Amino acid sequence: MTHRLTRVCATCLRQQRLNNKYVDARKTPTIWTHVLRNFIMAPSSSDGNSDDPDATAPPGPADSHSSRRALLLGRRRPLSPLERVSQLLPQDSLSKEVWELREKKALDEAETEEQAQEVPTVGESQVEDDAVTQGEETERMEQMMQFGETLLAEYRRSRRVEFRKMFLLQEGAKLQSNWGFLPHQTIAGLPSGSVLRTSVGLPMLLRRPSLEEFTLFMKRGPAISYPKDISAMLMMMDVSEGDTVLESGSGSGAMSLFLSRAVGSRGRVLSVEVRKDHHRCSVLNYQRWRSTWKLRRGEEWPDNVHFHNSDVINSAHLLAGQSFHSIALDMVSPHLALPTVVPHLHSGAVCAVYLANITQIIDLMEGLRCSTLPLVCERIMEVQYRDWLLGPSLKKDGTFNQRKPMREETSEEDENSNDEENEEHTSPKQIPFGSVPYIARPHPEQFSHTAFLVKLRKILK
């Protein structure tokens, strides 16, 4: 039936084309030529002979339906066999239900296109996420040096530090040194790591101190726990973010600052100090670091250290109802405080002890032997490190020495020419790579003994 209907339609179209062969090209084409064009070629996007695109008249004459056909048939899409047959038939003979189905399908496709345009693609969403991330990174960037924060000034000469000082940047003040002075007004507003000339013309490096440098140069009462020992103690105790740590012996607050950074905002540090002057010094240093951190980063340093002026040996009421993931003891007689603090230590956790003399370790071991505490000594150690000096070999006039190649026969002329070339090579850029020898030796100024570290672990006997 379909083949027969197609053959009839083709015959009608051929006859219609012959009838309209001599008609003026300016006249409006009939419905049959429009149908033939839609059947043979790609559907056109518009029909230039539509009378009224907003007409709501029922399907009838060709001119009243030309705009509607252009809307429905103007999209390039695959046609089903029934749609192809319906397009071969005279459009005026189609029922109202067929036109309603076509209009409904066209509206559904239009709505689908609008939704696809509203939903961002993967690339667009990725670009937006990258833009937001870049904005956040820009906000997290460190600000310029400003009044009220702690800075570090440094002057080097011949690869050695001649001057280093930590100071508070204040309006109207000056940085005084034997190598000239610098007004604080000229420092404010510059990025960290800037180099300024002093009043005598020497270069001075100005930057923000790290936590290690802050603890080394901050105001102190007692001797501090050095960063090299603190890092080893943190590894011993295995301090992680969110832990609760007990510290006995706040001192100048060095260990408290490192513990505060290790436990993070979700953790807590309980620091106990028996002397009032040491307690006051540790609190001031802790608050000073928090204030300069806020100016430096624009965010608060976590307020997670609670200082108490008390003797930990008689502080059972202070520790009541609390448990700790680790304990750090920096006191003269730690074996006297162990019976008080060990019951509040988690089973399997570590108590790290910081002692200056080997005789104190002997007293600690004797106290453990005579007591019934569930502790075992795992390690006694001393942390040492050595600085080295490494630099190119220089002549007395300040020029670089150069390696001489090994030759079996060397003429006097070659030697003279080599000497002349060595004298001309005074700039590091002119000397080829690998031709300058280097000298390495231990630094003459080495750190002496600081402390012994004892690692005690709580076990179940």
Side-chain angles (χ1 to χ4, degrees):
M1 181 64 183
T2 303
H3 295 290
R4 184 181 302 174
L5 183 59
T6 304
R7 189 164 53 253
V8 171
C9 292
T11 305
C12 295
L13 290 174
R14 193 181 304 109
Q15 185 65 30
Q16 184 69 21
R17 185 184 299 175
L18 294 174
N19 295 336
N20 296 335
K21 182 176 181 180
Y22 300 102
V23 180
D24 188 3
R26 290 175 298 175
K27 292 183 179 181
T28 304
T30 60
I31 183 60
W32 301 107
T33 58
H34 179 75
V35 174
L36 179 62
R37 184 169 61 252
N38 288 336
F39 177 70
I40 300 176
M41 303 174 58
S44 59
S45 59
S46 61
D47 192 352
N49 302 294
S50 58
D51 295 335
D52 188 5
D54 298 330
T56 57
D63 53 356
S64 63
H65 291 286
S66 58
S67 61
R68 183 183 301 177
R69 287 195 301 272
L71 176 63
L72 298 179
L73 305 176
R75 182 177 304 280
R76 296 175 179 267
R77 64 183 185 277
L79 301 178
S80 63
L82 293 178
E83 289 177 341
R84 293 178 181 177
V85 172
S86 64
Q87 288 191 4
L88 291 175
L89 294 174
Q91 302 297 305
D92 298 338
S93 63
L94 297 179
S95 62
K96 184 178 180 180
E97 289 76 6
V98 175
W99 284 104
E100 290 179 355
L101 290 175
R102 289 187 178 183
E103 290 179 355
K104 183 179 179 181
K105 186 175 182 180
L107 292 176
D108 294 342
E109 292 180 354
E111 292 178 359
T112 305
E113 283 188 358
E114 292 179 358
Q115 294 177 359
Q117 293 177 359
E118 292 177 358
V119 177
T121 60
V122 178
E124 295 176 353
S125 60
Q126 184 67 26
V127 171
E128 294 177 358
D129 295 342
D130 294 343
V132 174
T133 305
Q134 291 179 359
E136 294 178 356
E137 292 179 354
T138 304
E139 295 177 357
R140 294 172 185 170
M141 292 178 61
E142 290 189 356
Q143 302 179 8
M144 300 298 178
M145 294 183 291
Q146 52 187 314
F147 295 114
E149 64 174 317
T150 304
L151 301 179
L152 188 68
E154 185 179 280
Y155 169 65
R156 291 176 177 266
R157 184 175 61 180
S158 299
R159 305 190 301 275
R160 296 186 62 179
V161 179
E162 299 290 342
F163 172 76
R164 184 177 287 167
K165 180 180 180 180
M166 192 171 67
F167 64 97
L168 184 65
L169 190 63
Q170 297 176 340
E171 190 172 1
K174 293 181 179 180
L175 174 62
Q176 302 288 347
S177 68
N178 295 334
W179 289 267
F181 67 88
L182 269 175
H184 289 194
Q185 194 71 27
T186 60
I187 303 174
L190 296 177
S192 178
S194 301
V195 178
L196 296 179
R197 296 281 178 175
T198 62
S199 57
V200 297
L202 296 179
M204 189 76 68
L205 174 63
L206 300 162
R207 58 183 178 85
R208 293 183 172 98
S210 62
L211 183 57
E212 175 188 3
E213 294 168 335
F214 181 85
T215 55
L216 290 175
F217 293 99
M218 66 184 182
K219 295 181 180 179
R220 63 179 72 173
I224 64 169
S225 301
Y226 281 83
K228 68 181 184 68
D229 299 322
I230 294 177
S231 59
M233 293 179 68
L234 293 178
M235 294 299 295
M236 279 185 179
M237 298 185 293
D238 193 23
V239 181
S240 304
E241 185 178 1
D243 288 356
T244 303
V245 183
L246 171 64
E247 178 195 12
S248 178
S250 304
S252 298
M255 186 68 180
S256 304
L257 284 170
F258 280 93
L259 286 173
S260 175
R261 185 172 67 176
V263 301
S265 57
R266 298 188 295 109
R268 187 173 64 90
V269 179
L270 178 62
S271 183
V272 182
E273 175 58 50
V274 64
R275 292 184 54 170
K276 291 184 178 181
D277 54 343
H278 295 178
H279 167 74
R280 189 183 307 109
C281 180
S282 60
V283 173
L284 290 177
N285 286 329
Y286 179 71
Q287 295 299 334
R288 184 181 180 186
W289 173 258
R290 293 189 68 236
S291 61
T292 191
W293 180 267
K294 183 177 181 180
L295 294 174
R296 172 180 178 178
R297 293 292 184 90
E299 57 184 11
E300 292 284 349
W301 179 274
D303 189 10
N304 51 10
V305 181
H306 305 279
F307 295 94
H308 293 274
N309 181 212
S310 177
D311 187 4
V312 71
I313 300 176
N314 302 320
S315 299
H317 63 284
L318 183 64
L319 306 179
Q322 300 190 50
S323 60
F324 303 98
H325 295 86
S326 56
I327 297 176
L329 300 180
D330 182 7
M331 48 193 306
V332 178
S333 302
H335 58 280
L336 300 178
L338 290 177
T340 305
V341 300
V342 168
H344 301 275
L345 180 64
H346 292 179
S347 179
V350 173
C351 174
V353 186
Y354 184 92
L355 296 173
N357 302 322
I358 196 67
T359 55
Q360 293 177 302
I361 299 179
I362 296 175
D363 294 340
L364 176 62
M365 296 295 102
E366 186 67 10
L368 290 177
R369 185 186 66 83
C370 298
S371 67
T372 58
L373 296 175
L375 293 175
V376 59
C377 180
E378 290 188 350
R379 193 176 186 183
I380 300 174
M381 60 178 292
E382 179 184 7
V383 180
Q384 294 182 343
Y385 64 87
R386 176 180 295 178
D387 291 331
W388 281 72
L389 291 177
L390 181 66
S393 176
L394 301 176
K395 298 180 181 180
K396 291 184 178 180
D397 58 356
T399 59
F400 293 97
N401 286 315
Q402 297 188 50
R403 293 189 177 96
K404 295 182 179 180
M406 297 295 295
R407 294 182 181 178
E408 296 181 357
E409 296 180 358
T410 305
S411 61
E412 296 180 357
E413 296 179 357
D414 295 340
E415 292 180 357
N416 295 333
S417 61
N418 290 336
D419 294 337
E420 293 176 358
E421 291 176 359
N422 292 338
E423 292 177 359
E424 294 176 358
H425 291 170
T426 57
S427 175
K429 297 181 180 179
Q430 299 177 359
I431 300 177
F433 177 81
S435 60
V436 177
Y438 276 72
I439 298 176
R441 61 178 180 270
H443 198 285
E445 299 176 0
Q446 298 292 339
F447 281 95
S448 59
H449 168 76
T450 54
F452 296 101
L453 306 180
V454 183
K455 182 179 181 181
L456 305 176
R457 187 179 299 275
K458 183 178 179 180
I459 59 175
L460 296 177
K461 293 184 178 180

